[in-house]
Amino acid sequence: SLLGPAGYHVVRVATVDDAVQDARAQGPDVVLLHADLLRSDAVATCRRLRDLPEVGHRTPLVVSSTTPMTQAERRDALRAGAWHLAEAPFNTEDLILRLKVFVEAKREADAYRDSAQWDPATGLYTVVGLRRRTVEMASRAARTREPLACVVFAPAATAPGAVLDALVRALRELGRRSDAIGSAGHGLFGVVAPATPLAGATRMAERLAGGMEPDARTQLRAGLDVATSVKVDETDQLAVQLMEHARVAAVEATRGTNGNGWLREYRGG
C-alpha cells in the first residue's frame, strides 16, 4: 500500500518457494522480506535469494519487522546479504527514499553488466557474458536434471584471420536461440547448449562448422564437454570447468595431440 503510490509495481507472495519462483521469472529490482512471517527462516531466505543468478549481490534485499530484532538477528541478516533492516516504528518517507537510491544503484549495475556482456563487433557474448549465462544455464540444468553441453571452436594454428570471421558469421547465423554463444577468450568461441547430450553436442558442432565456407571449414578445430549431472551447490564451479574442459580439448585439436580429428571430446587429465 505504501509502494504502489510511489511508482513501484509490487508482487506479493506468501511463501519462500513462491518468492524464489517469482524472482527467477521476473528478476526484481528490490526484494522486501517480512521477518515477522519468516522469523525462523529470514536469514536462510536471504541466502537462498542471494544465490539466485536473477538476484545475486546487485539486487537490494530489505528485511522489515514490526517487532524489534535482536542484535544477533540484525548481524545475521546483514551477513546473509540484506541491504537494509526496517524496524517499527517505520519512517515511510525514509524507506521510500532508501528504496529509490537502492533501485537506481541496482539499475546502474544492470546496465553496466549488460554492456559488459555483449561484444558489438561480433554480436555475441563477451567472455564475462558467456560465463554468466553458463552459470544460469547450469542452475537450470541442476533443477531439470538435464545435461549441459559446451563446444569451443578454435582456428587451426596456421589459419588466417578470415577463418575466425567465417566462424563468427556461422555462429551468429546458425546458432540456436536457446544456446549461449560468445567469446571463450584468446580467439576461441564457445557454445553452451542446454538439454544436450554428447551425441547432440557433436551434431551441433558439425552443423555450425558446416555453415562455413569449405576452405575456412578445413582450418577449424573444436573441443567439447558434457555435464550429465549438475548439482545445485556446484553450478559456479561447473560453469568454469565445462568451458575450460572444452577449451583444452579444442587446443589439443589445433595441436594435433591426443588423437586425430577436428573435433575432440574432453577426456580428462
Side-chain angles (χ1 to χ4, degrees):
S1 60
L2 300 176
L3 300 180
Y8 293 92
H9 172 67
V10 180
V11 177
R12 293 180 174 85
V13 295
T15 69
V16 173
D17 287 341
D18 287 343
V20 170
Q21 182 176 348
D22 275 16
R24 284 174 173 156
Q26 303 189 42
D29 286 324
V30 63
V31 178
L32 277 74
L33 300 173
H34 296 289
D36 306 309
L37 302 178
L38 301 167
R39 176 61 69 186
S40 61
D41 297 318
V43 171
T45 302
C46 277
R47 292 197 180 102
R48 188 174 174 187
L49 289 170
R50 182 66 71 215
D51 287 342
L52 295 177
E54 297 83 358
V55 176
H57 291 280
R58 70 186 186 283
T59 302
L61 297 180
V62 176
V63 177
S64 66
S65 176
T66 57
T67 59
M69 300 176 69
T70 67
Q71 191 64 31
E73 287 174 332
R74 293 190 190 96
R75 290 198 189 101
D76 287 343
L78 292 171
R79 289 192 184 106
W83 284 36
H84 176 61
L85 308 177
E87 299 178 73
F90 298 111
N91 184 321
T92 303
E93 183 178 3
D94 178 78
L95 179 60
I96 295 297
L97 290 173
R98 284 180 184 272
L99 291 180
K100 181 176 182 294
V101 173
F102 291 164
V103 170
E104 287 175 349
K106 195 264 184 182
R107 288 180 174 174
E108 283 193 16
D110 283 348
Y112 175 79
R113 178 201 61 186
D114 292 342
S115 67
Q117 283 192 104
W118 288 99
D119 178 5
T122 64
L124 304 175
Y125 281 114
T126 62
V127 173
V128 173
L130 184 58
R131 183 175 301 166
R132 179 176 180 274
R133 280 294 292 128
T134 303
V135 171
E136 293 172 352
M137 294 167 78
S139 296
R140 176 177 174 80
R143 298 194 301 271
T144 60
R145 298 182 180 180
E146 294 174 330
L148 185 66
C150 178
V151 176
V152 169
F153 293 95
T158 58
V163 174
L164 192 59
D165 295 338
L167 171 61
V168 169
R169 285 195 299 271
L171 294 176
R172 197 165 51 223
E173 294 170 4
L174 300 177
R176 301 180 304 183
R177 288 190 177 184
S178 59
D179 299 339
I181 307 174
S183 172
H186 305 290
L188 310 182
F189 282 85
V191 180
V192 181
T196 303
L198 179 60
T202 301
R203 290 193 297 270
M204 177 184 69
E206 293 172 342
R207 177 178 60 83
L208 293 171
M212 298 171 62
E213 295 82 354
D215 289 345
R217 164 68 181 80
T218 60
Q219 299 186 72
L220 184 69
R221 305 291 182 267
L224 68 84
D225 191 32
V226 177
T228 57
S229 177
V230 182
K231 297 181 180 179
V232 174
D233 59 348
E234 296 179 357
T235 53
D236 285 13
Q237 179 182 355
L238 180 134
V240 173
Q241 285 183 345
L242 190 66
M243 185 67 65
E244 178 61 16
H245 289 173
R247 187 196 68 79
V248 168
V251 170
E252 288 179 348
T254 64
R255 294 173 178 169
T257 57
N258 195 24
N260 299 313
W262 79 278
L263 175 62
R264 309 289 178 85
E265 179 188 356
Y266 178 76
R267 297 293 187 180

